[in-house]
Amino acid sequence: MKIVIPGGTGQVGTILNRALITAGHEVVVLTRRPARNREVRWDGETLGPWAEEIDGSDIVVNLAGRSVNCRYTAANLRAMMDSRVRSARVVGKAIAAAVRPPRVWLQMSTATVYAHRFDAPNDEATGMLGGTEPGVPGYWAYSVEIAKAWERAQARAETPHTRKVSMRSAMLMSPDHGGVFDVLLRLARLGLGGPVAGGAQYVSWIHDHDFVRAVEFLADRDDLDGPVNLAAPAPLPQRAFMRVLRAAWGVPVGLPATKWMAELGAFALRSDTELLVKSRRVVPGRLLETGFAFDHAQWPEAADDLVRRVRGGPGFTG
């Protein structure tokens, strides 16, 4: 199959590209700075020659959007909003104009769309969308609005011959350098992987192999459209999540961090505490209902697998 991945040069795109090429598919990546074979230039906003790649393709997986791994300043939040909405709109225009449109458009979204909560898990049918929770920073609501606008741009696209799925992904865990797991493991190895702000907030996650398998599953299932949660079925509190990660690496102690300490750490990492403090208790209702079986459903086994891959990777020195 021919698969086009707008915005496919980031961590998620690299993981997906690698797996799909290994499986024998033709993969074309749309990027602002093409540097490799089968990378095609686009600006993420306007139609251009790149749209010819979508015409006649089988699947489009749109991952385009400014990275969330940054400080949540007003300018960065606006850049997140604009890059996601504009890219989704122009992908929709390219599909609508195609003589032979793809049969499915998988659009990246985020589990951040759900409310910060501890009492019950969020699935697609009964989950609470965020934005109005009491006692949380005001800018968290803007993150939710970004997610809603991202999905809305896809939903409004006039693509009657192309099935559309919005992938509400939890944090993707892979051993790749610079990803979420890499950062969390580094903290654990330094003895800093303890509870943050009490550690009761839930962490939703998905193993990279299951993420790829879920993408392939969604591409094949003609009966699935609209929002689908891509998350392992067993989210757990942050304190337990980090305890398991420390055990997998063999670190006995993790120093706790108060909320203000987390602020300092996030500033040093050029990130934001929302990624650490917001409770994302998300479960994959629709995937489970339609028969998807996770290879890595529980965090202890998943963490052991990821640690083994880190230790066995090139250049690892302990």
Side-chain angles (χ1 to χ4, degrees):
M1 291 189 297
K2 181 179 180 181
I3 302 169
V4 181
I5 309 180
T9 57
Q11 186 208 12
V12 176
T14 299
I15 291 167
L16 196 56
N17 191 359
R18 185 169 60 213
L20 294 173
I21 289 176
T22 300
H25 300 296
E26 176 189 359
V27 179
V28 176
V29 171
L30 305 183
T31 173
R32 287 179 170 81
R33 291 177 291 276
R36 300 178 181 84
N37 186 38
R38 304 306 293 160
E39 291 185 350
V40 174
R41 187 180 304 278
W42 82 326
D43 65 1
E45 298 184 17
T46 55
L47 286 172
W50 59 266
E52 297 172 7
E53 299 292 346
I54 285 180
D55 196 340
S57 67
D58 298 286
I59 302 168
V60 172
V61 186
N62 184 24
L63 307 177
R66 194 212 192 283
S67 172
V68 299
N69 190 22
C70 63
R71 297 297 293 168
Y72 282 12
T73 63
N76 284 341
L77 287 168
R78 172 51 59 181
M80 289 182 207
M81 174 73 86
D82 290 347
S83 61
R84 282 158 174 73
V85 171
R86 291 171 183 172
S87 63
R89 284 176 180 166
V90 79
V91 167
K93 290 178 181 178
I95 293 174
V99 176
R100 294 173 298 160
R103 59 183 176 80
V104 60
W105 169 12
L106 305 179
Q107 171 70 44
M108 194 66 169
S109 184
T110 173
T112 296
V113 74
Y114 291 108
H116 168 76
R117 64 189 300 196
F118 303 87
D119 58 333
N122 291 302
D123 65 13
E124 301 90 339
T126 64
M128 294 171 49
L129 299 186
T132 59
E133 308 96 309
V136 301
Y139 71 88
W140 284 18
Y142 193 79
S143 294
V144 173
E145 289 307 310
I146 291 172
K148 291 178 180 177
W150 205 3
E151 295 184 4
R152 199 159 50 238
Q154 184 197 30
R156 289 178 176 174
E158 296 292 337
T159 58
H161 304 293
T162 300
R163 178 169 54 91
K164 296 182 287 190
V165 178
S166 182
M167 303 186 297
R168 293 177 174 173
S169 180
M171 289 191 288
L172 177 60
M173 299 293 164
S174 87
D176 296 86
H177 178 71
V180 175
F181 182 79
D182 182 44
V183 172
L184 295 177
L185 181 59
R186 192 182 318 141
L187 291 174
R189 291 169 64 181
L190 291 172
L192 303 175
V196 172
Q201 65 275 23
Y202 276 80
V203 178
S204 286
W205 56 277
I206 186 168
H207 188 282
D208 60 334
H209 290 172
D210 278 333
F211 178 87
V212 172
R213 292 179 57 248
V215 167
E216 294 171 333
F217 182 84
L218 292 172
D220 289 340
R221 289 294 298 245
D222 292 336
D223 57 333
L224 278 172
D225 61 7
V228 177
N229 293 346
L230 270 61
L236 66 171
Q238 186 267 343
R239 67 168 76 90
F241 181 91
M242 292 305 297
R243 185 188 309 122
V244 169
L245 180 55
R246 295 197 311 269
W249 189 264
V251 178
V253 176
L255 295 177
T258 62
K259 192 171 183 179
W260 71 264
M261 291 168 67
E263 289 278 2
L264 291 176
F267 184 81
L269 292 170
R270 301 181 65 82
S271 186
D272 196 274
T273 54
E274 184 197 36
L275 301 174
L276 299 173
V277 177
K278 181 171 181 177
S279 185
R280 294 172 173 83
R281 192 175 182 185
V282 179
V283 292
R286 298 188 72 194
L287 282 179
L288 294 176
E289 288 168 4
T290 50
F292 182 81
F294 285 82
D295 286 341
H296 304 277
Q298 302 294 324
W299 179 234
E301 185 276 329
D304 286 343
D305 174 78
L306 292 165
V307 163
R308 282 195 300 269
R309 290 161 65 195
V310 169
R311 292 187 187 276
F316 176 72
T317 58

